[in-house]
Amino acid sequence: MIPYQLKIHGVRDYSPRSIHLGEPDEHILITGPNGVGKSTLTFCLGAVLYSSKVELEGLRSTNLKVNDPWYARITLIFLNEGKTKIDGPKFIAFQLTVNQDTKNSPIQREYEVLHGQDQEHLTSHARYTSGGTAGRTFKAYREDLRVRYKIEPDIYYLIWYQQEVNQFAAMYPEERFRKFSDMFEISEMQKEWEASLEKIKEVRTEIEYLKAIQKGAELNLNAAQTELNKYLDNKKRILTSGQKYYT
């Protein structure tokens, strides 16, 4: 599952647009000066994947009046390829639709999963609402993301929450790396990786040892075959000589 395309509509003051996120095995860098929308993109990724770190109110345009309605839609399309490919169609999309009558009224939202072989022609597979029928609630949506689609909702949002950004910016590089390591358990991953390397070394040593045994066995087998051939050849000559003698 590879993030392939992001579509936004009604997000802050940005016009509706579609953003291509790259092809398999590509790395995408989002950069630019303040105010161009870098953080907004990560807000959108977190919102459509129901991240616990995103408040939807932050995506409403500040230029909307108090009594103005707000409608927004965010669609994140995944290309179902790569190491995290799942059993499913070529394209799988996750969509968030937001409705708010006025600024002070509750935000109505609906999550939707879409499937298809063409990213431009996707069909609805499942819908999730606050009081979802057949158990399709927001909690079920988050669980489906994790279990069925192998997506961790918070991982695409990373650390772009403004307070966390300011906190990291004030740290020394060593402290920042330690904090980041603790957040994402990098230290434990490092230990597991090093332990795996040691196991690989042990396996390689064992393989070389077994190869040496195999080579010795092959030499012994060849020597035995040579002796067998000599024996059979001698037996044949004796039989041939005996037949000549007795005839």
Side-chain angles (χ1 to χ4, degrees):
M1 294 274 284
I2 302 167
Y4 188 76
Q5 190 177 24
L6 177 67
K7 297 181 179 181
I8 61 173
H9 174 87
V11 174
R12 292 184 176 172
D13 293 323
Y14 298 101
S15 59
R17 63 190 63 198
S18 176
I19 303 167
H20 184 62
L21 299 176
E23 300 293 336
D25 300 322
E26 288 185 346
H27 291 79
I28 305 302
L29 174 65
I30 301 175
T31 184
N34 293 337
V36 298
K38 302 185 300 298
S39 297
T40 300
L41 287 180
T42 62
F43 264 90
C44 290
L45 293 174
V48 74
L49 296 178
Y50 195 33
S51 170
S52 59
K53 296 179 178 290
V54 174
E55 296 293 337
L56 292 182
E57 290 84 352
L59 297 176
R60 178 186 172 98
S61 171
T62 56
N63 290 321
L64 288 175
K65 297 180 181 179
V66 174
N67 293 323
D68 286 344
W70 174 42
Y71 171 81
R73 174 171 288 174
I74 304 170
T75 307
L76 178 59
I77 302 175
F78 282 78
L79 175 62
N80 190 16
E81 293 183 3
K83 295 181 180 179
T84 56
K85 180 180 179 180
I86 65 170
D87 183 17
K90 184 176 181 180
F91 290 96
I92 299 175
F94 304 95
Q95 185 167 273
L96 167 64
T97 302
V98 175
N99 282 287
Q100 188 180 33
D101 294 334
T102 66
K103 184 176 182 181
N104 296 322
S105 62
I107 294 178
Q108 303 296 324
R109 53 182 169 166
E110 178 187 72
Y111 294 96
E112 186 175 5
V113 179
L114 304 99
H115 290 179
Q117 297 300 322
D118 181 351
Q119 72 267 31
E120 298 300 331
H121 301 89
L122 302 173
T123 57
S124 180
H125 178 72
R127 295 176 184 270
Y128 305 81
T129 57
S130 178
T133 58
R136 288 181 173 171
T137 61
F138 296 154
K139 182 179 179 181
Y141 175 65
R142 190 177 177 90
E143 187 68 13
D144 282 350
L145 284 173
R146 286 174 165 169
V147 177
R148 182 172 183 179
Y149 298 104
K150 311 303 180 185
I151 294 174
E152 174 58 45
D154 289 336
I155 200 168
Y156 287 92
Y157 185 59
L158 299 177
I159 57 169
W160 281 97
Y161 185 68
Q162 189 63 41
Q163 292 181 357
E164 293 179 355
V165 172
N166 292 339
Q167 175 188 2
F168 272 77
M171 294 179 180
Y172 288 105
E174 296 81 3
E175 184 182 4
R176 187 183 303 124
F177 179 77
R178 181 189 60 77
K179 183 70 174 179
F180 191 83
S181 297
D182 292 341
M183 288 175 60
F184 293 96
E185 299 181 351
I186 293 178
S187 297
E188 292 300 318
M189 293 170 61
Q190 176 74 16
K191 292 179 182 178
E192 292 176 1
W193 179 66
E194 291 175 351
S196 298
L197 288 180
E198 289 299 320
K199 290 182 180 179
I200 290 173
K201 290 180 180 178
E202 293 175 2
V203 171
R204 285 177 175 171
T205 301
E206 185 68 18
I207 289 174
E208 293 300 321
Y209 172 71
L210 294 175
K211 283 182 177 180
I213 293 177
Q214 180 187 13
K215 187 174 181 180
E218 289 175 350
L219 291 175
N220 292 334
L221 179 62
N222 291 335
Q225 184 66 49
T226 300
E227 291 299 321
L228 176 62
N229 291 339
K230 289 180 180 180
Y231 168 77
L232 294 175
D233 187 55
N234 289 334
K235 182 179 180 181
K236 182 179 179 180
R237 285 201 302 267
I238 292 172
L239 289 174
T240 301
S241 299
Q243 289 174 355
K244 290 181 178 180
Y245 177 77
Y246 286 105
T247 56

